[in-house]
Amino acid sequence: NMALSTIPKDSIAADAIDGTKIADDAISEEHLDATAITGSTELAATPASTDELLVSDAGVLKRVDFSHLDTAGLKLISRSVNQGSGSSSAEFQGCFTTSFTHYLILIGACAVETNQANLQMRFLNDSNSALTDSNYTFGGEFNDAGNNTVDEIRAIGSDSFGIGPSMHNADATPAFYKFYCYNNTPTNTGDRPMITGTGIFHHEAQHDPRMDYFGGSYTGGNHCAGFTIFAGSGNISDHDIAVFGIKAF
């Protein structure tokens, strides 16, 4: 048989040429079409840490896990938004994982339905049950600007963190909070997850701001895999709450 330098295209049956007839390194950019990407199934979500991408490493094609690209900054883990109807709580189940040790929790807005109710927080275990044991200790200060008073907020052996005291019940005057949570190993019962943060809300009836700062830790010896935000009395209504994982490096 004689090797042919040209072959009439009509002589080649569809799908007759396989990988054994294509030389190594023969496929270059001129043989690729955009449909190699646009024609593929859309992921439509943030890639998982084990999803793989193709990169050129100094001219050599290699695959890389997405986890190596997502190395710094904030990563949105979960968000709860409710407008209008009341709910007993806003739960963030399983948000604490081994991917992060530091978390940022933003309460962009949160209103209580019962006047003077406290805004509170509890951890959830790995079965998504609230940890209601008396192992929350916290402290801080509450500043009532309108009445020019400063009061301590503190408790030892409480069944929850008190993060927003004596809130006014009005959807038009929700609370805004920012706090950090350190949870080194959410599967380690010997760990001591801690929170610290600040907050503010406007008291509509008395037309003045109320501010507080706080910090606390949980020492119940349970897996802390998530958390819940709730009112000390009644429901929370409008809210927009998000939790982010923090990777500094």
Side-chain angles (χ1 to χ4, degrees):
N1 294 329
M2 181 182 297
L4 298 178
S5 59
T6 61
I7 301 175
K9 183 168 64 174
D10 295 341
S11 301
I12 304 174
D15 301 324
I17 297 178
D18 58 23
T20 63
K21 299 301 182 181
I22 300 174
D24 294 344
D25 303 321
I27 303 300
S28 62
E29 77 285 348
E30 65 178 308
H31 300 293
L32 290 177
D33 186 80
T35 55
I37 296 177
T38 60
S40 299
T41 303
E42 181 183 8
L43 178 60
T46 301
S49 61
T50 55
D51 284 353
E52 297 174 332
L53 305 173
L54 190 64
V55 300
S56 174
D57 180 17
V60 179
L61 290 178
K62 295 181 180 179
R63 62 176 176 81
V64 60
D65 281 357
F66 183 74
S67 60
H68 294 291
L69 305 181
D70 186 27
T71 57
L74 297 178
K75 181 179 180 180
L76 177 64
I77 297 174
S78 183
R79 184 183 182 192
S80 174
V81 180
N82 182 42
Q83 301 294 330
S85 60
S87 57
S88 60
S89 64
E91 289 194 355
F92 295 84
Q93 300 177 355
C95 64
F96 299 140
T97 70
T98 54
S99 297
F100 302 93
T101 57
H102 296 73
Y103 300 85
L104 170 65
I105 300 172
L106 293 182
I107 301 179
C110 189
V112 297
E113 292 187 347
T114 301
N115 199 35
Q116 301 299 306
N118 296 332
L119 196 62
Q120 297 174 236
M121 171 185 171
R122 285 190 180 117
F123 288 118
L124 304 176
N125 63 18
D126 49 10
S127 298
N128 300 320
S129 297
L131 297 172
T132 59
D133 49 359
S134 300
N135 289 291
Y136 297 85
T137 297
F138 63 93
E141 285 190 349
F142 174 58
N143 190 314
D144 181 344
N147 294 311
N148 197 28
T149 60
V150 177
D151 297 308
E152 288 187 350
I153 48 174
R154 57 188 176 91
I156 299 175
S158 177
D159 64 359
S160 63
F161 291 129
I163 60 176
S166 302
M167 291 178 58
H168 183 61
N169 63 323
D171 287 344
T173 58
F176 298 88
Y177 282 87
K178 175 184 72 175
F179 58 95
Y180 295 94
C181 177
Y182 176 75
N183 189 11
N184 188 35
T185 49
T187 58
N188 187 338
T189 57
D191 207 23
R192 301 288 186 266
M194 297 174 286
I195 65 168
T196 182
T198 60
I200 185 170
F201 69 93
H202 186 84
H203 196 289
E204 185 66 18
Q206 297 186 15
H207 308 291
D208 57 54
R210 311 286 171 91
M211 297 81 69
D212 68 276
Y213 70 86
F214 59 89
S217 64
Y218 172 79
T219 58
N222 289 287
H223 297 166
C224 295
F227 68 94
T228 178
I229 302 291
F230 63 100
S233 177
N235 290 336
I236 58 176
S237 54
D238 290 2
H239 68 263
D240 186 350
I241 306 172
V243 55
F244 299 82
I246 302 174
K247 281 191 176 181
F249 49 84

